[in-house]
Amino acid sequence: MLTAARLGAAALAGALLAGVAAVPALADDPASPSPEASVSGSPSVSGSPSGAVSESPSGSTSGSPSGSATGSASGSPASSGVPAGLYGKGDPQYDGVWRQSLALIALRQENVEPAEAAVKWLLDQQCADGGWPSYRVEGAACVPATEDSNATAMAVQALTVLGDHKEQVTRGTDWLRATQTVDGTWAYNPGTPGDANSTAMAVNALLAAGLDPATTAVPGGQSAYRGLASFQLGCWTSAEQRGAYVYQPVAGAPAAPNTLASAQALLAAAGGRLPVTTADRKDAAPKALACPDSPGDGPVAHTDSAEADASWLTGRLAANGQRLLLDTPGAAATADYNATAWSVLGLVASGHAAEATSAADWLAGNGYAWAAQGRSGTDPAAAATLVLTARAAKLDPYNFGGANMVQLLVDSGPKPKAGPTVGDPEATRAPGSAITEPDENSGFSAGWLIGVGLAVGVVATVLLSLNRRRHNQLAAAASAAHPPTGNASGEGAAGEQPEQHR
């Protein structure tokens, strides 16, 4: 069905054609631009969406909204350059392991066998105690305080998906279990307060490794599921907040839902991990939290946790044009591509694929700039997240809003050992971004509009050519009817060349 965006483009094309048809006959002036010059190969993309692409943990490509206060164990690799086995060209100080792991998970899902150098780089980042830092310069010593639960959890999932790395996976989950707090939660870095995002990532990793978060706990402490639920807003809050997650409770401050925390927590609460495969589909919409007459103040029961979160996220998506908004204090309420993608993954994992469809379509129509136009080129974490999101929503990552996200991801790192034909590399250059209205996407991409523009250019060229031919015919007829007067040299009375020789 044609959307308003497509109808508007069609109307524009019609207006252009009508305008060309009405152009008067033109002289063959070499100074005039040719009609082909007005049709560019593709419209330019004006950078990445504001706030969407970040190369620090506080941005949309990190696991935690707050990130690590201490950074990597050995500082920025700016002096030595980006390692050859790493995906992406940006500074990996805060997200090296995170983006590498996401890339490996997404490519393995698409049956692309990554380069040995890419896998070796991830393995070499692991510390002797089993944890991973956000990034460690080759040869630098591990600093336990900088080991990162988000990086470790994602690396465990990547190595589980790749297979044949049981020892490293076990050491990774042992580190996670050793750094769990007595309240069942995880912090970004050991020794700091727990947060919802880090706890959710750890639960994902436990599930990937075949461990049960319902029983995973330190001696005398709460389980991982119980710890995750401690960040969820329950019956003691207002109805419009119930089911959402806070990033981290702040003593003396009112509870505030956090969109990224809620989105990333849903996959864990639903018992999911990466990559997300289609779960048993539920016919009904997500159930909002049912509150008794005398609401308690304890955590939401695990059986209700995913449903309540899915209900809250579905409501936020519907209220904001099928995408979530950044809720960083002081930041403009712009689209949060990362949270939107994670909400799709969580909704599919919780059985609510129907509620995820429109958000996945919005990402298809708007996500290209997020993945491909970062400060250092392709953001592999964003590209990988969109590959995973597309496949979870049963869309085509090789043609996701007109862009080949798999090829985009492949091109951001070392050449893979093997894999299927990943489509036309030209597709990675399709803009696929910036639909005027977020509800006018339906999978529409700017590639379709480019096709219309090229067609208009071809028709314009033909019509202009016909107009010129008609002009020449009329000029020739006029000369035949009124022959020029002049001397034997062919010059006219005023020394002008005959019209037909101009």
Side-chain angles (χ1 to χ4, degrees), residues 43 49 55-56 62 87 104 153 191 196 215 221 231 268 272 310 339 382 417 463 476-477:
E55 294 171 1
S56 72
S62 70
Y87 286 89
L104 294 174
T215 59
F231 299 103
K417 290 175 63 177
L463 290 173

Side-chain angles (χ1 to χ4, degrees), residues 1-11 439-444 448 452:
M1 182 176 70
L2 286 176
T3 62
R6 293 187 179 185
L7 288 170
D439 61 340
E440 294 183 351
N441 57 83
S442 300
F444 166 72
W448 183 87
V452 172

Side-chain angles (χ1 to χ4, degrees), residues 3 30 33 58 76 126 151 170 227 230 272 279 304 345 347 406 410 446 471 477 493 500:
T3 62
S58 62
S76 171
Q126 189 175 26
T170 300
S230 68
D304 301 325
L345 296 171
L347 286 170
V406 180
V410 166
H471 169 78
Q500 64 266 34

Side-chain angles (χ1 to χ4, degrees), residues 133-208:
S134 302
Y135 171 79
R136 179 165 60 95
V137 173
E138 183 179 359
C142 282
V143 178
T146 64
E147 291 174 48
D148 168 356
S149 65
N150 290 221
T152 300
M154 197 59 73
V156 165
Q157 292 178 82
L159 295 178
T160 301
V161 170
L162 292 171
D164 300 326
H165 300 289
K166 184 175 180 180
E167 186 226 336
Q168 291 89 345
V169 169
T170 300
R171 287 169 52 213
T173 53
D174 285 349
W175 183 88
L176 287 171
R177 295 171 73 177
T179 55
Q180 185 183 18
T181 64
V182 70
D183 60 7
T185 69
W186 278 266
Y188 191 93
N189 297 115
T192 58
D195 63 80
N197 304 66
S198 299
T199 303
M201 295 301 149
V203 169
N204 294 150
L206 295 174
L207 290 164

Side-chain angles (χ1 to χ4, degrees), residues 25-472:
L26 300 174
D28 291 324
D29 182 359
S32 299
S34 65
E36 292 84 357
S38 65
V39 182
S40 62
S42 66
S44 63
V45 180
S46 58
S48 61
S50 174
V53 179
S54 174
E55 294 171 1
S56 72
S58 62
S60 64
T61 60
S62 70
S64 166
S66 68
S68 168
T70 53
S72 67
S74 54
S76 171
S79 59
S80 58
V82 176
L86 184 65
Y87 286 89
K89 303 303 180 187
D91 185 347
Q93 180 179 2
Y94 297 107
D95 76 336
V97 171
W98 174 267
R99 77 196 196 201
Q100 188 80 350
S101 301
L102 269 173
L104 294 174
I105 294 170
L107 292 176
R108 192 67 190 90
Q109 174 188 253
E110 299 304 317
N111 296 317
V112 176
E113 187 176 356
E116 291 181 2
V119 180
K120 183 178 184 299
W121 185 89
L122 181 61
L123 293 171
D124 289 347
Q125 288 286 300
Q126 189 175 26
C127 295
D129 62 2
W132 272 265
S134 302
Y135 171 79
R136 179 165 60 95
V137 173
E138 183 179 359
C142 282
V143 178
T146 64
E147 291 174 48
D148 168 356
S149 65
N150 290 221
T152 300
M154 197 59 73
V156 165
Q157 292 178 82
L159 295 178
T160 301
V161 170
L162 292 171
D164 300 326
H165 300 289
K166 184 175 180 180
E167 186 226 336
Q168 291 89 345
V169 169
T170 300
R171 287 169 52 213
T173 53
D174 285 349
W175 183 88
L176 287 171
R177 295 171 73 177
T179 55
Q180 185 183 18
T181 64
V182 70
D183 60 7
T185 69
W186 278 266
Y188 191 93
N189 297 115
T192 58
D195 63 80
N197 304 66
S198 299
T199 303
M201 295 301 149
V203 169
N204 294 150
L206 295 174
L207 290 164
L211 301 175
D212 185 4
T215 59
T216 303
V218 299
Q222 295 190 126
S223 72
Y225 273 142
R226 186 81 170 177
L228 180 63
S230 68
F231 299 103
Q232 192 168 21
L233 299 176
C235 291
W236 62 94
T237 58
S238 60
E240 63 272 14
Q241 293 184 333
R242 292 172 190 162
Y245 283 74
V246 298
Y247 165 63
Q248 206 172 50
V250 178
N258 182 281
T259 53
L260 182 58
S262 300
Q264 291 184 327
L266 179 55
L267 179 59
R273 58 185 176 86
L274 297 177
V276 173
T277 55
T278 303
D280 293 335
R281 189 167 181 145
K282 297 179 181 177
D283 295 330
K287 295 179 181 178
L289 196 62
C291 293
D293 294 335
S294 300
D297 57 2
V300 177
H302 177 60
T303 53
D304 301 325
S305 183
E307 282 291 295
D309 190 11
S311 176
W312 186 83
L313 285 168
T314 300
R316 299 315 303 155
L317 288 168
N320 295 305
Q322 294 305 323
R323 86 275 205 229
L324 298 177
L325 301 179
L326 287 168
D327 55 10
T328 306
T334 55
D336 189 333
Y337 296 81
N338 197 36
T340 303
W342 278 91
S343 70
V344 172
L345 296 171
L347 286 170
V348 172
S350 63
H352 297 291
E355 284 72 19
T357 299
S358 294
D361 282 346
W362 185 89
L363 286 167
N366 295 273
Y368 177 82
W370 176 49
Q373 301 293 322
R375 290 192 297 272
S376 302
T378 297
D379 182 338
T385 301
L386 290 180
V387 170
L388 293 167
T389 300
R391 192 62 72 183
K394 294 189 174 181
L395 298 176
D396 184 3
Y398 294 89
N399 184 17
F400 193 57
N404 187 334
M405 285 296 165
V406 180
Q407 187 69 54
L408 189 70
L409 181 56
V410 166
D411 290 345
S412 72
K415 183 178 180 180
K417 290 175 63 177
T421 301
V422 289
D424 179 8
E426 292 296 320
T428 62
R429 301 190 184 109
S433 66
I435 292 173
T436 303
E437 295 294 336
D439 61 340
E440 294 183 351
N441 57 83
S442 300
F444 166 72
S445 76
W448 183 87
L449 186 54
I450 294 171
V452 172
L454 290 174
V456 170
V458 171
V459 174
T461 302
V462 172
L463 290 173
L464 287 169
S465 177
L466 290 174
N467 276 332
R468 288 192 182 107
R469 182 178 300 176
R470 180 172 175 270
H471 169 78
N472 290 336

